[in-house]
Amino acid sequence: MTTQTTAPQTPRKVDTGKHAGLIGIPPQLGRALATGGGALTIVSTFLAWTWTAEFPGDLTVYGYPGGLQVLVLIGGALTALFGLASYGIKGLRWLTPAGADSALKLSALGAFATAWFTIIAISVQLGGLVNLEPGGWVAAIATLAAVHGAFALPFDWPANEPVDPEDTTKDRILHQRRHVFAVLKASLASGTAAPARKLPAYAEILVIVAALALGLIVFTYGIGTEYDELFVGFLITAGFGFAAAAKAGLVGRVSALTAKHRNVTMIGAFVAAAAFPFTQSDDQYATIGVYILIFATVALGLNIVVGLAGLLDLGYVAFLGVGAYTAAMVSGSPSSPFDIQLPFWASALLGAAVAMVFGVIIGAPTLRLRGDYLAIVTLGFGEIFRITVLNMDGTSGPDITNGSNGISSIPNLNILGFDFGEEHTIAGFTIARFANYFLLMLLITLIVVVVFRRSSDSRIGRAWIAIREDETAALAMGINGFRVKLIAFALGAALAGLAGTVQAHVTYTVTPEQYQFAHVVPPNSAFLLAAVVLGGMGTISGPLVGAALLYLIPAKLQFLGDYQLFAFGLALVLLMRFRPEGLIPNRRRQLEFHEETEAPTVLSKAGA
């Protein structure tokens, strides 16, 4: 009988939160300063920030926040909330399952950035700091104090102990238990998270409903920003607010609830989206909404190709063009070479079918390639499509697509007597043309989401993921890699073509310039791929959120002129640096990018 020996273990240093962070003051004093600074920031928004109404938003009113003051108020409220949660208050523990200190830092930074951006904008536009009223000075001092206090909190979390590979299973279990107890002890000592009791099912559904309502409010507010400074402040507040919620573990907790109640979440999400047109007084912002949905639907189709199957497609926008041109040719347009007008359901199916055929034609000879070689071939296909429809003008080729003029004067849809080009009154709300198409496109998006969800959960979906993770291993296990990839390529093309049939009627005209690789206005292949990567590959909500941001931000940053793409590219670089897995990643990719912080050592060694 042999005796197993284990290596001596050194005592662990558990962070109890008693030493200072970046700022040389005690953490408890810093926590109080950050919480008080957040509360004082709230008070400052009810004071006048400037003496004249020439600055947008009219920040001259006492007792009623307006414009950018509202965003600073939100930042201050989040700072105060996370500050109170960092004291371990029982009623707030559910909001901070991962601890409140990191969230407190980010929320304080968000309030500081928004307040000081407003102060600088006032000074630049009105001619100096002399134009500030007491409220502006109070906000500046309060947010600075909150940031100062937040960065006095410790940054280090309890580190995982090294595991001896000679440990027995019993030793590993005891080791893991000691680590868990040490983390809980440090968390309680530093005022961070503690396990929250499980909510009943109805309460979980209410949390999901509240999250969806909050998402609708944020989206509506972002689209409806009336001036440039307000949109920039919105981006700062929303970005830091989301990051703070993610650091607190609240985003992960809500994501777990949505995964548990998937059907309720999907129904609630589309009900909230359908309510968007009824929140608008005119068709101005519904226009942006319908284009976002078109962009998001195509991005979700590309997510099948890139996110699930792992095929880098740089010419995907061409399939959107195939569907749009097909629908335009059979819509009764006077520019169409075919004197035919099919009902929408027939043109939609035809556009999806033609796009699928093109997907098979392009994929069959090229999908035996991998990686960069496949990306180059798909990029070439996108350019071939654009040049082909450009030359089908009756001079350089057959007269089919009308060349650079495209197919114009596409009539509005009329489905069962419902004319999408006219205003309609529903339940006392008047919705105009783009609101009508928004609701139609929302239905198309629902179909694409259902197809994506059913496909990813099916046998073929698991085969796609296996191909994405390791194609050689998948082939060795008996998966027909070529057939599986061709199905993904064809299905993704069909979904893009389906979205293109609606785009043709929304835009009235389809032209070759709309389907370039890197067009100024999305959707294009570069922006579609960025939407999938930015939002989170392999998820449903990720590409939808990514597409909304990638369409909304350029549309609102036009005041930057030539610096628009520079600012946009810089934002993408920063996001990929600090959150490479995307805004809403699946768990697998999150662990791949943050294995050293997310996965315990015991699990990583067992998995190895």
Side-chain angles (χ1 to χ4, degrees):
M1 186 173 185
T2 60
T3 303
Q4 293 184 347
T5 61
T6 59
Q9 297 181 357
T10 58
R12 290 188 68 239
K13 294 182 179 180
V14 178
D15 180 11
T16 60
K18 294 181 180 179
H19 66 274
L22 291 181
I23 308 300
I25 61 176
Q28 293 301 329
L29 178 59
R31 185 172 289 113
L33 186 61
T35 306
L40 188 58
T41 301
I42 297 174
V43 174
S44 71
T45 61
F46 291 88
L47 305 175
W49 284 24
T50 183
W51 62 273
T52 175
E54 292 183 6
F55 187 81
D58 191 5
L59 309 185
T60 64
V61 181
Y62 282 86
Y64 187 82
L68 286 162
Q69 287 176 322
V70 176
L71 299 176
V72 177
L73 171 63
I74 294 172
L78 289 176
T79 303
L81 179 65
F82 287 126
L84 293 174
S86 67
Y87 284 99
I89 297 177
K90 185 176 181 180
L92 299 177
R93 289 180 183 175
W94 195 91
L95 298 176
T96 56
D101 285 358
S102 296
L104 179 58
K105 296 181 180 72
L106 289 170
S107 59
L109 271 176
F112 171 81
T114 308
W116 280 74
F117 165 75
T118 306
I119 293 169
I120 294 173
I122 291 173
S123 302
V124 170
Q125 290 192 23
L126 301 182
L129 293 174
V130 69
N131 295 282
L132 289 179
E133 288 291 301
W137 293 106
V138 172
I141 296 173
T143 54
L144 183 61
V147 168
H148 188 86
F151 278 89
L153 301 179
F155 277 81
D156 297 329
W157 286 81
N160 294 324
E161 292 184 42
V163 178
D164 187 355
E166 298 296 327
D167 283 351
T168 62
T169 303
K170 181 178 179 180
D171 294 331
R172 289 173 180 262
I173 294 175
L174 292 176
H175 171 87
Q176 187 176 6
R177 287 178 179 176
R178 286 195 301 268
H179 170 68
V180 171
F181 289 143
V183 171
L184 290 177
K185 181 180 178 181
S187 299
L188 292 174
S190 60
T192 54
R197 62 185 182 89
K198 185 178 179 181
L199 297 177
Y202 74 88
E204 293 178 345
I205 295 176
L206 289 177
V207 171
I208 294 174
V209 172
L212 294 174
L214 179 62
L216 176 61
I217 293 172
V218 172
F219 178 75
T220 303
Y221 187 91
I223 281 187
T225 49
E226 300 175 352
Y227 48 93
D228 302 333
E229 294 85 355
L230 186 61
F231 182 72
V232 174
F234 166 76
L235 286 182
I236 296 173
T237 302
F240 278 101
F242 178 82
K247 278 293 185 180
L250 184 59
V251 173
R253 173 158 284 177
V254 174
S255 298
L257 295 181
T258 57
K260 182 179 179 180
H261 303 279
R262 296 177 64 181
N263 293 329
V264 173
T265 302
M266 188 170 68
I267 294 173
F270 281 93
V271 169
F276 168 72
F278 300 98
T279 64
Q280 307 300 310
S281 57
D282 55 40
D283 220 23
Q284 177 183 1
Y285 300 122
T287 306
I288 300 178
V290 69
Y291 283 119
I292 287 177
L293 276 184
I294 293 174
F295 189 13
T297 303
V298 181
L300 193 57
L302 178 61
N303 198 24
I304 293 179
V305 181
V306 177
L308 294 182
L311 306 175
L312 185 56
D313 189 347
L314 297 182
Y316 187 75
V317 75
F319 297 120
L320 176 69
V322 170
Y325 267 96
T326 302
M329 291 179 183
V330 298
S331 64
S333 168
S335 303
S336 173
F338 307 108
D339 187 16
I340 183 175
Q341 184 172 2
L342 297 179
F344 173 70
W345 65 268
S347 64
L349 292 178
L350 183 62
V354 173
M356 178 182 290
V357 170
F358 270 86
V360 173
I361 292 175
I362 300 301
T366 61
L367 287 179
R368 299 186 188 278
L369 300 173
R370 298 185 187 183
D372 299 338
Y373 301 100
L374 177 62
I376 293 173
V377 170
T378 55
L379 176 61
F381 163 67
E383 287 301 300
I384 290 173
F385 168 78
R386 184 183 63 84
I387 295 173
T388 300
V389 296
L390 184 63
N391 290 330
M392 289 183 175
D393 56 357
T395 302
S396 303
D399 188 10
I400 298 178
T401 63
N402 205 20
S404 59
N405 294 324
I407 300 178
S408 59
S409 302
I410 300 174
N412 285 304
L413 289 175
N414 191 309
I415 301 177
L416 300 177
F418 187 91
D419 191 341
F420 282 75
E422 297 180 355
E423 291 186 351
H424 298 274
T425 301
I426 301 177
F429 294 92
T430 300
I431 56 175
R433 178 179 184 272
F434 285 104
N436 296 330
Y437 279 106
F438 179 91
L439 296 175
L440 175 63
M441 197 61 225
L442 185 62
L443 180 61
I444 300 295
T445 305
L446 176 61
I447 295 174
V448 174
V449 167
V450 171
V451 171
F452 182 93
R453 177 180 170 183
R454 301 292 294 178
S455 299
S456 62
D457 291 340
S458 66
R459 178 182 178 184
I460 192 70
R462 294 193 294 272
W464 287 336
I465 296 175
I467 290 291
R468 182 194 69 193
E469 295 298 323
D470 192 331
E471 184 172 352
T472 303
L475 296 177
M477 295 302 294
I479 295 177
N480 189 331
F482 174 75
R483 182 177 67 87
V484 167
K485 291 191 291 185
L486 187 60
I487 292 174
F489 214 72
L491 181 58
L495 296 180
L498 182 62
T501 61
V502 179
Q503 186 203 31
H505 293 276
V506 171
T507 58
Y508 286 123
T509 303
V510 289
T511 58
E513 290 74 17
Q514 296 175 347
Y515 308 106
Q516 298 180 19
F517 169 73
H519 193 249
V520 177
V521 179
N524 56 62
S525 293
F527 272 66
L528 287 170
L529 184 60
V532 174
V533 177
L534 170 68
M537 292 195 296
T539 63
I540 293 177
S541 55
L544 299 179
V545 173
L549 290 176
L550 288 182
Y551 191 93
L552 182 62
I553 293 176
K556 293 288 188 176
L557 292 182
Q558 294 180 0
F559 67 95
L560 293 177
D562 295 337
Y563 296 98
Q564 176 184 347
L565 289 180
F566 171 77
F568 184 69
L570 180 62
L572 289 181
V573 169
L574 292 175
L575 186 63
M576 289 298 99
R577 166 61 182 85
F578 294 104
R579 198 171 178 84
E581 70 274 20
L583 293 176
I584 308 179
N586 61 22
R587 185 62 175 169
R588 181 193 301 270
R589 289 189 61 80
Q590 192 172 23
L591 290 176
E592 288 175 356
F593 282 104
H594 301 284
E595 183 178 359
E596 72 282 356
T597 56
E598 297 285 347
T601 306
V602 174
L603 296 180
S604 64
K605 285 195 175 287

